[in-house]
Amino acid sequence: LGEYLWSSWSCVRGCGSLFILFFCFCFLRIRQPPSSTLFPYTTLFRSVDLDVVAPGADHREIGALHGIDAIIATTGKLEFEFIRKRRAVHFIKKLVNDVAMSGAKPLYLSVGFIIEEGLSLEILHKIALSMEFAAKQAGVQIVTGDTKVVNKGSCDKLFINTSGIGTVPSGVNISAANIRPGDKIIISGTVADHGMAVMTTREDLSFKSQVQSDTAALNGLVDEMLSISKGIRAMRDPTRGGVATTLNEFARQSKVGIQLYTDSVPVKPEVKGACEVLGIDPLYVANEGKLIVVVPGGIADEMLRVMKSHKLGKDSQIIGEAVGENPGIVVQSTGLGANRIVDMPIGEQLPRIC
């Protein structure tokens, strides 16, 4: 009897020790400082952004995507300093554009947060609200997400990563490999606005006229463009590396030459002035609310008319054409009648933010 009681007590004591160890592990695993706990943020996200998380969304509708022609997905990350000053709307719009540039209709997004402990809940609150606003404007839904809290110093306050999914309409085949000599190149507006806005924000530079970012969701403009013709050859938003990099990628993928017209690329006076002061070529500066589209020459004028009728394309302009000469090379006509090569950038003029 004594041995039985002793063995029973040892078993209970062992189980108790395991329970204590398990409790300590869980406690240490999830414990965070009061200002950045995971639970309050989860509650905040659910209470503030119910419309973003698609309440009542029909899961069968999501499952029905298997019956469409294609699905496009993309991911990204945004640096905290720009999130804080621009309230994160840039990030949702950038993702929508990434999906739309393939001709897809953006539908659903996921958002993941990597949060440094100690980040103010007030800042997180503003970011969540701004993302809700941007998603509603773009006509997309944030249907899932995740949060992770990391130790102090493990990230720059907040990283956001996201993925998007959309449907490609039947008959749409947008690829740089489709470009042919004679095709026209159209840009939807002025260039370098976003990159110079980032530079002036980051370096606290001030000019007589404030440089504003051109961040915008372009899916509405793309829808109108596709409504008049599904024969678009190629389309891309000239983000990192700017117009020059995008056109070089087009030329190399299609193995055609690209001829830019003299002074054809529109630049706002305040942006041009800022670029001159900083010694930066506007062709290499990032954009987040503009697109470059390549279309057959026969529909270029009609496409330009439709783009100009949209608020995000009112400054659209034909800036060049694809040619048979100089395959894989982009050249621009100068005022002296000669051509200069517009090459890929060496390094980055601005540190990447996303």
Side-chain angles (χ1 to χ4, degrees), residues 152-210:
K152 190 78 171 177
S154 296
C155 76
D156 181 19
K157 299 181 180 64
L158 177 65
F159 287 161
I160 299 177
N161 62 80
T162 186
S163 297
I165 190 170
T167 59
V168 179
S170 177
V172 174
N173 179 26
I174 296 177
S175 170
N178 298 331
I179 300 175
R180 299 289 182 269
D183 291 346
K184 298 295 184 181
I185 302 167
I186 307 174
I187 193 163
S188 63
T190 56
V191 304
D193 300 346
H194 176 74
M196 296 315 299
V198 172
M199 172 63 83
T200 55
T201 298
R202 185 178 267 155
E203 303 299 332
D204 289 326
L205 301 176
S206 60
F207 297 92
K208 186 175 181 180
S209 297
Q210 186 177 3

Side-chain angles (χ1 to χ4, degrees), residues 5-134:
L5 291 175
W6 176 254
S7 62
S8 298
W9 167 248
S10 299
C11 182
V12 171
R13 185 175 59 182
C15 291
S17 299
L18 288 174
F19 176 80
I20 292 171
L21 287 173
F22 178 74
F23 175 81
C24 291
F25 172 80
C26 293
F27 179 78
L28 293 173
R29 179 74 174 171
I30 65 173
R31 182 177 179 273
Q32 299 290 344
S35 61
S36 62
T37 50
L38 184 60
F39 179 76
Y41 174 66
T42 305
T43 304
L44 169 72
F45 191 83
R46 289 174 180 169
S47 63
V48 171
D49 291 327
L50 290 178
D51 291 335
V52 181
V53 191
D58 187 352
H59 293 173
R60 290 171 298 177
E61 181 183 0
I62 299 175
L65 292 174
H66 292 292
I68 64 174
D69 287 343
I71 294 175
I72 306 298
T74 184
T75 60
K77 183 187 78 174
L78 191 65
E79 156 186 296
F80 173 75
E81 187 62 21
F82 199 76
I83 294 173
R84 183 178 66 82
K85 293 191 176 182
R86 301 291 176 181
R87 300 193 66 187
V89 295
H90 158 84
F91 197 70
I92 296 295
K93 294 174 181 178
K94 179 185 186 303
L95 177 63
V96 168
N97 293 344
D98 287 344
V99 176
M101 290 306 105
S102 295
K105 178 178 178 59
L107 297 174
Y108 306 109
L109 310 181
S110 71
V111 176
F113 293 86
I114 301 174
I115 308 165
E116 182 186 29
E117 65 178 72
L119 179 67
S120 167
L121 278 179
E122 181 183 356
I123 292 176
L124 211 53
H125 184 196
K126 290 180 179 179
I127 290 170
L129 285 175
S130 67
M131 294 181 77
E132 175 187 16
F133 177 74

